[in-house]
Amino acid sequence: MADCKQTVQEFIQSTFNPVVAVLCSADAETLCRKNNLSFIELVQPFCRLTSEVHIRDPSNLSHAIHNLKVVLRDFTSSLPPQPLLARKMLNEMVGSCQPILGDTTAVMTGEYNLHITTATPWLEVYREAFLQFLPPADHEFTRNYLACIFVVSTNQADPLDMFRKLNQQQQHQTSQKVPKWFCPNIFKYYVLLHDITDGEESIAEAVYQSMKSTYGAHACHLLQINSCDPKTSQYTPDNMPDPWSQFINKKLNFLESLAEEELSTEMTAQGLQGSLPGEGQTDFPSSVMEASLSPDQPDGVLVSEAGFVESAAEAVEGMEPVLPSVASVEETVDHPLSPDFEELLQDLQEKQTSIPNNTVSEHPLTNNLEESIRSAKLHSNAEKAKQVPHGMCLTLSDHDRLRIFIHEFCVRGLLPYVEKQIRTLNDQLMSRKGIHRSLFSATKKWFGGNKPTGQSHNLQNLNIVYSHESPELQVRRLADLCFMFQMYELAYQSYHTVKRDFNNDRAWPYYAGALEMAALSIFMQGQNAQRPYPYHYMETAVSTYMNAAKMPQFAARTTLLSTEILKHYSMYGDAAMHFIKMTNEDSDMRSALLLEQAAYCFIRMQKPMVRKYAFHMILAGHRFSKAGQRKHALRCYCHALQVYRGRHWSLAEDHINFTIGRQSFNLKQMENAANAFKHLLTNESLQTETQQAAFVREFLFVYKQLLAQPDQEGSSMLAQLPLPLIDSSTIMTLVGSHPVDAPAGWTAATSVKFATHSVDMPIWEKLEDMVTNHLNPIDNTASLGHAFKSSMQCFSNKTSNVHYPLAVVGESIALSLELCNPLCIDLVMTNVSLIWRFIPVACGHDNVKQAETLSNEAGTSMECEACITTEIIQEYVVNGLKRNIMNLKLIPHQTGELHLVGLSYNLGMQVVHPSSDTKSNYPSSISVRGQQNLEVQGQRLNSTKIERAGRMYATDRRLDPVVVPSMPLLQVYFENISSVMLCGEVRQMNIELRNTGQSALKDVFLVSSHPEFYSFCASDVRNGASEKANDNVYAALSTDARDDFIVVKTYDWSAVCKVPLSADGIVPGATVRLPVWIRGPQASGVHAIHMLFYYQPHEPTSKLRHRVLKHKILLTTISSFSAQAIAFRRYSDWQEGLIVNLEAENVNQLQDSSITEISIAQVSCASKEWCLYPSNDTDLCGIKLNAREKVCLCCEAVKTAIQSDSTYFTNVFYSKERIDSALSPSFDLYNHFLHECNELSTSTHCIAVADHTANDKAKALSTAVQVGLTLIIFWKAFVVDDQGVSRTVVGQHHIAVDTVNIIYAAVPVSVPPAKPSLTFIKEFEEEEVTCERAPLVPVIMLQQLATYCIRHPALVHHDFHYNRLLNAYSYNHFTSIMWFLIKKCLLHVLVIHNTYLSKGYYVF
């Protein structure tokens, strides 16, 4: 995770390598250019020694030097670039270095699973360039030139004279402050460069001998190169190594990236609005208020709030928003090779002429601006230079000579010189330390010179200057020499000694440098160190550099060094704090790099601090953005998004996604930008409505730019849109045409609707199963070869969708889905249509596919329109924070397999004018075309253990309907059907059946959840039935009919009713109108009546044998008439009979004037044993009842003499209208009621004797109380509606009387079951004897087993004055006592005439 290629020791050692100046003649440079290299570039790959060398300290102890490297720099142009150019070069170097694709590692901590970059090469590049560009300072000597190499070629006419001139040039520069030399008498090394193929070796050898005699053998070297002539020998770069490429490319990468950066900043200025933190604000915002960044401006440019409002207003008016131009926060630097930079150079030169000479000398870098520009111009053709090979004239022997040259320079020349300098400096310091120095130190000690280190920084002593020969600088010079040549213990002793003097003198730059190098000296000793690493040295050095010395560059260098050491000791928390403290407003680039490293430190701690890692990554991305590093900013924000995504940090996540989208757009990564803006729109946003509108505009504009790219223009697939959200669980498919509008006064069958299909699904399946069993009895189902499967029309997540929906050619397929808008603003969808794929299949050819797959994904065509007609919704508005239901349709015109793929539409938003809150009815000018795929998931499987253990789901085919050939399509209309009826009310209406399909239907069957609700009057069971009376609901009794009773044969009742049609059925387009009678349920309330029409075609297909039409009626019944009856035993002259008492009541309230009067017209009796007669003469004027009035009617029932299975209908008339109760609709409604009573055997209509039927005795006794008759009460009511119109309503009520002496009501009343009586049982100690107890028989049965009759004179004369007691004797002058013995049941009956008290007992 963010590891460097170099170890800490290698990094520190490379930072403080000895620096050597190179002064090369022109002819020598020309000789090197044959290899496309300068002399320094030629030697640079060999500047590190591969072998170990040794050096001796002043004590004559040998020290080994490992991996010694010397840094060669051009004497004429070796100064660091001008600060502006250096900043530009650093930015370009960092920008040109990007992470390698896939170079990440996974970090799992807690609930986080992060992917983090393993290395940060851009930091290493920045660090190397930053240290290289760091100017030499007066307080240290590590960056001063330690030696100088003079290079002259043998092609020179007088090489020795050229060496003399070069030496004079170097001596002239030594007297100046720039460049800086380590000491006045530096080591000078003379190199004679000889071209083997172009020169004579004898001449070169002669010159070399002269050089050795002049300068000494240890300071001269003959370097022979160019052993290969490209003209005579073919050069093969593949066979030769190229050690120069890694160094040359580093210098050329930043020039190459300049053109790329300029290209990436050429962006359009449309549509990029937002709101970032205001100017100067560096803290993380509490909400996402991103300032708009103009693509033509750097990332650091902020747009004011007023400019944002103006841009938003322009976008509202339909214009592409153009951001106002504002000044940059930071000073921009022109390209050094551009013409504008020449003008900048002239301005700077004019300013330099006005600066005093002494000032210019204090800042020598300003004098080197021309050299910096010239150095940059040398690499203007960087791309061409990369393609040119290097070292074409060099062989492997030449490579070895170059290595030998560096080795001899170091071993024979540089190291002996360094040993001599160390001894000389050490001797000088030892000799100069005398009484004066001791007294001076003692004086400072007594007078407060020795103050605590770094406690107070006196800014007035910053200008302290030491002479070159001062003891302090001599010690510092000695320490630097020892450190550069790896004598760390001696270096530490020198640094530690001199730092106290610097502290006492308050020479803060010198003091900070000594602390820094002392700490490094201890660390570089490693395990041989005699003391622990002083962490506080580095902290004091950084604070001193920053606060007292005002040298932030050296403070940054110290931070880079100290943090690497802290990370080496796994002190990541302290390292992160050091990085954070070093961030400031001086350099956005440096602050971004340091913040990024602080984030990596937080994640590498023993207990990773994930949120701090993400937070500092965001800060680093922000600073990268301000520095113009868009790629690095994008990378940082992407790393931080891993932590904040899905953690309920909504505002932070919005900020990150918005910035990622903006940076991706600036980098022309349109797809990444669109994906980032999608996340701003899909989640439930906490942003304001204005901010959400800005997000939507951003997305639409970016998405539009994405579609405009060349690689997207030819694509036939539409891209995915994030809004509105589609709830996949609400997707429903409905096959079959919807009912059309019914004519006036008619009501169309409701069929199946999306909203109600799941509520009544079990009821519809049961009704369809009833019809299937009726047409195909259970005994014959085995011959069908398949189980029953209901005809499903609506498929949703609550239905089993393992089978394909069956659609019919020419009929619509509707799709319903729920759209959710998570934003506060309204979204506008235009030209909305379904996307489908269709595979045509020939009818009758065993489902063989005929043609290729057709689809409208790429747009509609003539072939697609001929195959399927797709409905297009012109405009659909999804309100903010709402869930809207959208219904779409398509009509297939050919058989085949259809697949519903998705939804295509144009997405836009409603315009909100800033001057008012009113929304326009027209969508915004920015709209994009896209699609959303439809995905469904079947029901979860839970039948087996494997399915319960895993998340397994059934196949869901609701979006894959199969189109079958044309079928009949039934539409049903009801005339004048009312939603409110009286209880028991009977009405006649017409029903119309229309075939709107393309084939004829054969039979229509009707089944309902309330079969007593309707009657088609098809059950005429009696020959010679009379016609219906004039405009009456019931059929009138014929004049020749008998008044006593009517015998009707047993009617085979069925819940499935076949609609009476002709033999031809209903042809396509034909209409059949039939009368039907309906009756309101006897119980008041709201009733849901389900009616299913089952119909079959003349030629059924293999996949679709029948079709159904469903209709649901919500009927409200109002209480109007109430009746109850009871039957008593009656014996006249020992002839068995019943007295039936009927009580009727008008239950209408007095304050309710809707029902004014109810009259009883007729009471009929339907029974297989009894005939009903009036007890006395009846008045044919009718029995009228006003509100809350009751009437009690008494009738007699006599058993018929003939016992058969026929039903006897007898009538008792109370009006002149004589209704034939044995004809429809009365007979049909009676049969429905009778069947309902048989099914509800546990209701209060019948006595529950299930517990007693197990015993034969109880069964025999139950016959004594059974009656078995049904009363049919025909009534008529006068109703006044709300408009004051009166009408007459007729109806009938049924009362089933099954048992004597029990009251039965027309409306059943639930009676709670009786609790068993409490029985006390005595416990016997002896062994219990089990005995069979006789079953208990209800008392009501026993009371009806015996009948008695008293015979006495009708008139008795008695004088009560004589005797107050009268004994009325029978004819035999005693009371007759009757004994009955019935099946071992002895019953004694004693009758006392005076009191009519009966006593009895029974013995079993």
Side-chain angles (χ1 to χ4, degrees), residues 1363-1383:
N1363 189 358
R1364 299 179 59 183
L1365 177 64
L1366 170 64
N1367 293 324
Y1369 298 99
S1370 61
Y1371 295 107
N1372 297 325
H1373 301 286
F1374 63 89
T1375 301
S1376 57
I1377 301 176
M1378 295 168 286
W1379 300 82
F1380 293 91
L1381 183 60
I1382 303 176
K1383 294 184 179 181

Side-chain angles (χ1 to χ4, degrees), residues 53 59 156 169 172 226 234 346 416 457 497 538 577 594 620 706 788 870 956 977 1003 1045 1148 1188 1210 1224 1248:
V53 294
S59 302
Q156 185 71 30
Q169 182 180 354
H172 176 71
N226 297 341
Q234 186 177 1
Q346 296 177 1
H457 302 307
T497 300
M538 283 295 189
M577 292 299 103
L594 297 182
L706 175 63
F788 166 73
T870 307
D956 197 320
I977 187 171
D1003 296 322
F1045 62 88
N1148 183 37
R1188 309 305 299 175
T1210 53
S1224 295

Side-chain angles (χ1 to χ4, degrees), residues 1351-1360 1365-1371:
R1351 296 185 180 183
H1352 53 81
L1355 181 62
V1356 177
H1357 296 276
H1358 179 72
D1359 186 4
F1360 286 94
L1365 177 64
L1366 170 64
N1367 293 324
Y1369 298 99
S1370 61
Y1371 295 107

Side-chain angles (χ1 to χ4, degrees), residues 63 82 144 158 183 249 280 295 483 527 557 1002 1135 1279 1372:
H63 295 268
Q82 203 271 346
N144 293 3
D158 189 357
C183 58
N249 292 337
F483 187 88
Q527 297 179 355
R557 185 189 70 177
K1002 181 175 60 175
Q1135 183 180 6
V1279 180
N1372 297 325

Side-chain angles (χ1 to χ4, degrees), residues 281-328:
Q281 181 179 348
T282 58
D283 297 336
F284 188 82
S286 60
S287 62
V288 182
M289 294 296 293
E290 287 281 342
S292 298
L293 304 181
S294 174
D296 296 335
Q297 299 168 348
D299 287 355
V301 179
L302 304 180
V303 177
S304 63
E305 184 179 358
F308 169 75
V309 176
E310 293 175 1
S311 301
E314 292 176 1
V316 169
E317 295 174 1
M319 301 172 59
E320 297 294 339
V322 180
L323 298 180
S325 60
V326 294
S328 176

